Amino acid sequence: MPGTVLLLAASPVGKGRLVDAASVLPVLAAVEPAVLSGTRTASVVELADPLEPQAVLSRLRAAAAAPGPLTVFVTGQLQFDRRQNLPHLALARTTPATVRYTALPWHWLREELRLRPDGTTTVVADLYADQESWRQLGERPLDTGRNIAVYGRVAPPPARRAVAAPAYMKAVATILRSGHRPPVDELHEQALARLAVEEGGGGRGAHGGPGIVLAAGRPAAADPHAAIAAWVESGRHGDADALAARWEQAAVREHGAASEEALHWTEVRADLAMFAGDPARSCRAWLSVAATRLALGQSAGAPQVEAAVDRAHHQWGRIREPERARELGPLLAELRGRVPGRRQGALDHLRRQLRQLEDAGLTAG
C-alpha cells in the first residue's frame, strides 16, 4: 500500500531556541518519498516551525487516518509543562511560561497513533531537552505508546546561548539520500555510528552519541486492534464495533467497569463511532470515559481526562440532530465546567451554542 510521511520540525523563535530544527527539512525533502517511507509510493506532508498546536494536531490526525505505513520524522525540542509535568514539543511561539497553551503535548501524538495496526507506524526523532526536561526524562522516559516503533535520540541542552544542529536527523537524511532505505533499526544504528564519528565519540552517551537513545521496535502482532483497524479501513464499521464491544465486555468481567482495560475499549469504541460517522454515540462514550476517570479521583488536568472531554466536545459540535445535541449538551457543559481544557473560552462558547439550540427548540415548538 502507499505510505505516508510526516516531516515535523519545530522549535521556538528567539532566545529559547535550543536547536535549529527546520534546517534539516531541505535535506529530508531531497530524499525520494518512497525512500522516506520504505514503500513503493508515498505522500509527504511537511510542517516547518508551525505556530499552533491545533494545526499540528489536525495534520497528525489526517496522517494517522491514512491507510498503509506511516513514518513520522520529528525534530525539535522538549519542554515540560510546569503545572502538570508533562512533556511537550515546543513550537514557534512557545516560551517556558506558555508551554501548556503554545506547545504540542507529547501525549497527543501517542493518542492519535494508538489505533493504528501494529507494525505500521514508525517515529524517527531527534529531540533536544531543556534542563528541566532533561531532569524529568531521567526519571520518566518518553512514552510513545505500545504500538509505535520509535528510533532516535534525546540530547541534553547545548552549551549556553548555543543553538544546536539536528545532527542525528541529518545523519538519517544523508543515509537515505543514497536512494536506499535499510530496515529502520539498521538505519538507526548507521545514523548513530555516523553521529559518533562526526561528534568525536568520546563515550558521551549510549552508542557513543550524546543523550538518551530511543530504540523501541514493535513487532507486528496478531491482536484485535489490527483486525479492527482493517475493518474500519474497508468500511466494515459494524464488525469493528462488535469486536471491540466483545473485548470491552471481557475487560469489564475480568477487571471491572472502571478499570483501565475496560476504559481503553470504551475509548476505542468512541473512536470507532467517529469513524462510522456517528458523532452522538462517540460523544456519549467520551463523556462516559471522562466521568468515570473523574469519579476514580483523576484530576481535571490529567491528560486522559482532558483528552476525553476535548474529544466529547469536538464530537458534540458535529451532531446534526438538534434533539440529540440538546440531550448531550448539558452533560458536556457540566464536565466542561470541571475540565476547562487548554482552549480558552471553550465553556463560554459551549453555553452560547446550548442557548441557541434551546431558543431554536422553543421557536420550533
Side-chain angles (χ1 to χ4, degrees):
M1 296 186 69
T4 301
V5 176
L6 178 62
L7 306 179
L8 171 57
S11 53
V13 174
K15 63 181 182 180
R17 173 171 289 199
L18 302 179
V19 57
D20 184 8
S23 66
V24 76
L25 287 178
V27 191
L28 282 171
V31 179
E32 289 291 327
V35 177
L36 286 172
S37 176
T39 56
R40 294 184 64 182
T41 60
S43 59
V44 178
V45 177
E46 181 177 312
L47 290 175
D49 282 330
L51 300 177
E52 301 292 341
Q54 291 291 337
V56 179
L57 178 63
S58 296
R59 295 295 185 90
L60 178 63
R61 186 167 289 165
L70 170 64
T71 307
V72 179
F73 293 88
V74 55
T75 308
Q77 68 188 63
L78 293 175
Q79 292 182 222
F80 267 68
D81 167 22
R82 292 172 180 172
R83 184 174 169 185
Q84 294 182 305
N85 285 330
L86 293 174
H88 289 59
L89 181 70
L91 303 183
R93 294 175 178 168
T94 302
T95 67
T98 65
V99 171
R100 180 173 170 81
Y101 301 104
T102 62
L104 181 79
W106 187 260
H107 63 266
W108 283 11
L109 183 144
R110 183 189 67 227
E111 285 294 307
E112 291 305 320
L113 301 180
R114 68 187 173 85
L115 263 188
R116 289 183 53 81
D118 285 357
T120 66
T121 311
T122 302
V123 173
V124 181
D126 190 359
L127 303 169
Y128 279 77
D130 63 8
Q131 289 289 355
E132 175 64 16
S133 301
W134 187 248
R135 183 184 67 80
Q136 293 277 1
L137 290 171
E139 300 172 0
R140 291 186 300 166
L142 202 61
D143 180 12
T144 54
R146 58 156 200 89
N147 64 322
I148 304 170
V150 57
Y151 296 91
R153 61 99 176 250
V154 181
R160 190 175 182 183
R161 297 183 180 176
V163 176
Y168 171 85
M169 194 66 76
K170 286 187 175 179
V172 167
T174 300
I175 294 167
L176 293 177
R177 285 186 68 178
S178 68
H180 168 65
R181 172 173 161 165
V184 68
D185 55 342
E186 294 181 21
L187 173 65
H188 170 67
E189 292 295 334
Q190 291 176 25
L192 287 175
R194 183 181 289 264
L195 184 65
V197 171
E198 292 177 353
E199 297 191 346
R204 292 180 291 165
H207 299 277
I212 301 168
V213 171
L214 307 172
R218 301 289 192 270
D223 73 3
H225 298 84
I228 288 168
W231 277 336
V232 169
E233 186 179 317
S234 62
R236 294 169 60 184
H237 299 288
D239 290 333
D241 184 66
L243 178 57
R246 290 199 296 272
W247 279 85
E248 181 183 36
Q249 292 160 8
V252 169
R253 287 194 302 270
E254 186 172 351
H255 304 285
S259 65
E260 280 297 326
E261 291 82 359
L263 286 172
H264 166 75
W265 285 106
T266 306
E267 292 174 345
V268 169
R269 296 190 68 196
D271 279 338
L272 291 176
M274 175 190 67
F275 293 139
D278 190 345
R281 182 159 57 92
S282 181
C283 175
R284 190 184 299 278
W286 283 119
L287 289 173
S288 172
V289 170
T292 301
R293 291 193 179 281
L294 288 169
L296 288 171
Q298 296 183 20
S299 72
Q304 290 172 308
V305 175
E306 270 193 354
V309 178
D310 286 346
R311 290 181 179 209
H313 196 160
H314 178 74
Q315 289 300 299
W316 183 80
R318 293 176 173 268
I319 298 173
R320 295 293 172 259
E321 302 89 346
E323 288 187 7
R324 302 191 77 181
R326 280 194 290 268
E327 173 194 351
L328 294 172
L331 302 174
L332 175 60
E334 191 274 331
L335 281 174
R336 184 52 94 189
R338 299 169 64 187
V339 186
R342 295 165 182 261
R343 301 190 68 175
Q344 296 181 355
L347 178 58
D348 290 338
H349 183 252
L350 171 60
R351 285 171 173 164
R352 286 195 299 272
Q353 289 178 299
L354 278 172
R355 284 196 295 271
Q356 291 170 3
L357 279 170
E358 293 298 335
D359 291 344
L362 291 172
T363 303

